[in-house]
């Protein structure tokens, strides 16, 4: 547990004077294209709080976008990284390898869904790993097309921009994008009244069969619960039907679990919820407690398809990040964090569901585990209310909550607390949110 007092404490306006000073320096020094959601400069973080440079202690409902799942500066992560940094910081796994990388690969092969023979390759970011999953699928199938879904987010590199659905801010003006990427309709129960999972899968597969053709298709890439696109939880049966079709057609099913992985959703991986076994699974974010690490894990025959030397990168599987990842795995198992995510999810869904009963602007409350969102609409409709979402997020920030928004229509407030958040802070955050909604 963190040494920081686990309290919400506001000693200045948010942002405070020191943060404002730093924000002015940021504007002069950092590209304005790199935005900040909440210009509150961090000084320390742990448990369930972020302490800023003005001494304010904020309740963390963002985990640095689903990264610090085991808590910021988790003691096991700090100890493991400290030991590693004193031994060596980098040799490059492709030059003189080291044990930590192999151990992380072994852990991922053991922990990810499916009992088949697996292999893993490590990278630096989610986007880089998604790109590599596509490279592997193409090499294995000798086909080139890739299908992604409406509302998908897979990153900001050229290929992953093509896979990502939303134009602003991710793609606008950055084209041309990679070729041979096709988009299929998603299962989005709130906006899809009456279309159940199997029917939504049939709708997607018809698009795929008519517009792409299974024989041309290397991979279907999907987030089991969509992240940036709005915490969209597909209807039951949607993912299993896609997996079945992929298996029948020699198409590689790639689960992008960059945001959903590592206990976040109340399973170690979100695919487990419906017993979905992906051919390749992409992980990042929560994997290493805040150090940059990402992975592709999957069927040995697919992972071994590219020629030796075909995959890699200078920093992929950096020794510090690997040490952190092993500490993360140990923490999830030792501290029962999968169960902790479920209990956080129950608290959030209960409280936000009660709020929805009182507030007709909340059209939908959804999510699993510690990945929960509310979608804001004009009462009685599904018409998105992005302006209200922005107002609520701002008011929550001013009250000392770190909350994020998302969604294709910018009308989703999402909650991703670290699993180290104490119950009393989570309850206080939900009380504050009740007040913010009452006043907005
Ligand atoms: C589902 C998903 N895939 C890929 C990415 C890209 O990861 P990164 O930002 O580490 O490149 C993200 C990031 O938010 C994500 O949520």
């Amino acid at each position: 547990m963190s040494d920081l007092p686990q309290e919400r404490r506001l000693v200045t306006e948010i942002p405070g004077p020191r943060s404002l000073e730093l924000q002015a320096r940021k504007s002069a020094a950092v590209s304005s294209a790199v935005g900040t959601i909440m210009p509150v400069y961090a000084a320390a973080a742990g448990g369930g709080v972020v302490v800023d440079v003005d001494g304010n202690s904020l309740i963390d409902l963002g985990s640095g976008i689903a990264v610090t799942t085991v808590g910021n500066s988790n003691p096991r992560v700090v100890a493991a990284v400290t030991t590693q940094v004193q031994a060596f910081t980098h040799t490059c796994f492709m030059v003189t390898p080291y044990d930590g990388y192999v151990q992380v690969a072994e852990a991922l092969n053991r922990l990810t869904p499916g009992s088949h023979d697996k292999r893993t390759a490590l990278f630096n970011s989610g986007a880089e790993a998604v790109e590599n999953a596509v490279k592997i699928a193409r090499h294995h199938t000798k086909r080139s097309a890739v299908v992604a879904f409406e509302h998908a987010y897979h990153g900001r590199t050229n290929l992953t921009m093509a896979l990502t659905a939303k134009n602003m801010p991710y793609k606008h003006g950055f084209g041309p994008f990679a070729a041979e990427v096709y988009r299929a309709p998603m299962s989005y129960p709130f906006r899809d009244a009456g279309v159940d999972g199997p029917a939504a899968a049939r709708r997607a597969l018809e698009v795929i069969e008519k517009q792409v053709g299974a024989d041309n298709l290397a991979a279907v890439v999907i987030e089991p619960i969509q992240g940036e696109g709005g915490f969209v939880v597909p209807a039951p049966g949607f993912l299993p039907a896609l997996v079945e079709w992929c298996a029948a057609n020699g198409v590689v099913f790639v689960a992008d679990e960059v945001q959903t992985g590592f206990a976040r959703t109340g399973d170690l991986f979100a695919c487990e919820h419906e017993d979905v076994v992906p051919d390749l699974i992409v992980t990042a974010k929560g994997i290493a407690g805040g150090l940059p690490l990402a992975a592709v894990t999957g069927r040995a025959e697919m992972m071994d398809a590219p020629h030796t030397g075909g995959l890699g990168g200078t920093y992929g599987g950096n020794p510090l990040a690997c040490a952190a990842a092993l500490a993360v795995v140990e923490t999830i198992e030792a501290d029962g964090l999968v169960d902790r995510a479920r209990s956080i999810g129950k608290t959030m869904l209960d409280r936000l569901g009660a709020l929805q009963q009182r507030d007709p602007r909340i059209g939908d409350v959804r999510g699993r585990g510690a990945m929960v969102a509310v979608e804001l609409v004009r009462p009685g409709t599904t018409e998105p209310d992005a302006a209200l979402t922005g107002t609520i997020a701002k008011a929550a920030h001013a009250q000392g909550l770190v909350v994020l928004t998302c969604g294709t229509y910018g009308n989703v407030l999402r909650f991703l607390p670290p699993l180290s958040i104490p119950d009393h802070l989570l309850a206080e955050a939900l009380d504050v949110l009740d007040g913010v909604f009452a006043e907005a």
Side-chain angles (χ1 to χ4, degrees):
M1 187 32 85
S2 169
D3 291 341
L4 294 172
Q6 295 298 300
E7 62 183 10
R8 182 173 67 106
R9 185 182 65 238
L10 300 182
V11 296
T12 70
E13 301 258 290
I14 302 290
R18 291 207 168 137
S19 278
L20 287 174
E21 229 174 270
L22 282 163
Q23 188 67 359
R25 280 173 49 200
K26 178 217 172 226
S27 300
V30 178
S31 161
S32 61
V34 183
T36 43
I37 293 165
M38 193 176 170
V40 165
Y41 283 72
V49 298
V50 176
V51 177
D52 76 8
V53 289
D54 290 289
N56 299 296
S57 176
L58 315 169
I59 303 178
D60 184 7
L61 298 180
S63 300
I65 319 189
V67 170
T68 52
T69 307
V70 296
N72 237 303
S73 294
N74 174 285
R76 282 195 190 86
V77 171
V78 171
V81 172
T82 304
T83 302
Q84 180 59 49
V85 79
Q86 287 166 343
F88 62 95
T89 49
H90 175 84
T91 59
C92 188
F93 191 73
M94 300 182 303
V95 180
T96 51
Y98 37 88
D99 185 24
Y101 189 121
V102 179
Q103 285 190 55
V104 171
E106 288 169 346
L108 285 166
N109 296 346
R110 172 172 66 88
L111 295 170
T112 51
S115 53
H116 48 276
D117 192 20
K118 294 178 205 148
R119 299 287 185 274
T120 287
L122 300 181
F123 304 97
N124 300 290
S125 74
E128 188 192 355
V130 171
E131 288 231 18
N132 276 278
V134 171
K135 283 163 64 174
I136 292 161
R138 284 178 169 161
H139 217 290
H140 170 72
T141 58
K142 312 281 180 261
R143 305 171 183 171
S144 57
V146 181
V147 161
F149 287 80
E150 290 168 348
H151 314 289
Y153 182 86
H154 297 290
R156 297 171 182 260
T157 58
N158 188 263
L159 176 57
T160 58
M161 275 193 295
L163 294 169
T164 290
K166 192 174 175 179
N167 177 46
M168 269 307 250
Y170 310 122
K171 303 169 74 161
H172 186 72
F174 296 137
F177 304 113
E180 284 305 301
V181 172
Y182 300 87
R183 196 160 308 285
M186 181 61 186
S187 165
Y188 191 155
F190 177 61
R191 300 192 167 278
D192 236 12
V195 184
D196 66 10
R202 280 195 298 279
R203 181 176 65 187
L205 292 171
E206 189 176 326
V207 169
I208 294 170
E209 285 179 341
K210 298 286 176 238
Q211 298 182 23
V212 188
D215 291 349
N216 300 311
L217 186 56
V220 165
V221 181
I222 190 163
E223 301 151 85
I225 298 178
Q226 290 183 321
E228 308 301 302
F231 281 28
V232 178
V233 186
F238 180 70
L239 294 172
L242 294 182
V243 176
E244 197 182 318
W245 182 89
C246 284
N249 288 280
V251 174
V252 178
F253 181 88
V254 181
D256 178 347
E257 291 237 21
V258 167
Q259 190 151 162
T260 50
F262 290 95
R264 172 58 56 191
T265 64
D267 285 294
L268 196 50
F269 299 98
C271 277
E272 292 169 36
H273 186 72
E274 287 192 272
D275 293 327
V276 161
V277 177
D279 296 312
L280 302 179
I281 180 166
V282 181
T283 51
K285 288 190 184 280
I287 192 175
L291 277 87
L293 187 69
V296 182
T297 301
R299 296 185 188 281
E301 67 276 17
M302 297 180 183
M303 294 296 298
D304 288 342
H307 45 278
T308 300
L311 303 178
T314 304
Y315 295 111
N318 169 270
L320 305 180
C322 287
L326 294 171
V328 164
V329 168
E330 190 189 330
T331 301
I332 289 173
E333 290 178 340
D335 294 358
L337 292 187
V338 168
D339 287 341
R340 178 67 187 144
R342 286 186 187 201
S343 109
I344 287 174
K346 180 168 179 351
T347 303
M348 290 199 293
L349 289 172
D350 285 353
R351 287 286 308 267
L352 295 167
L355 180 59
Q356 183 188 23
Q357 295 301 313
R358 301 193 299 274
D359 195 325
R361 298 169 300 176
I362 298 181
D364 195 24
V365 178
R366 58 177 178 256
R368 280 212 302 270
M371 181 173 185
V372 167
V374 295
E375 177 155 2
L376 304 186
V377 293
R378 307 220 181 272
T381 74
T382 56
E383 200 186 317
D385 195 340
L388 174 68
T389 310
T391 303
I392 300 250
K394 255 197 155 150
H397 295 166
Q399 297 282 320
L401 302 190
V402 181
V403 294
L404 310 173
T405 61
C406 65
T408 298
Y409 313 107
N411 67 326
V412 177
L413 270 179
R414 58 170 156 170
F415 308 108
L416 293 158
L419 304 181
S420 53
I421 192 170
D423 284 336
H424 75 272
L425 269 190
L426 183 62
E428 185 175 347
L430 292 162
D431 290 343
V432 171
L433 270 175
D434 280 351
V436 164
F437 270 90
E439 278 167 30

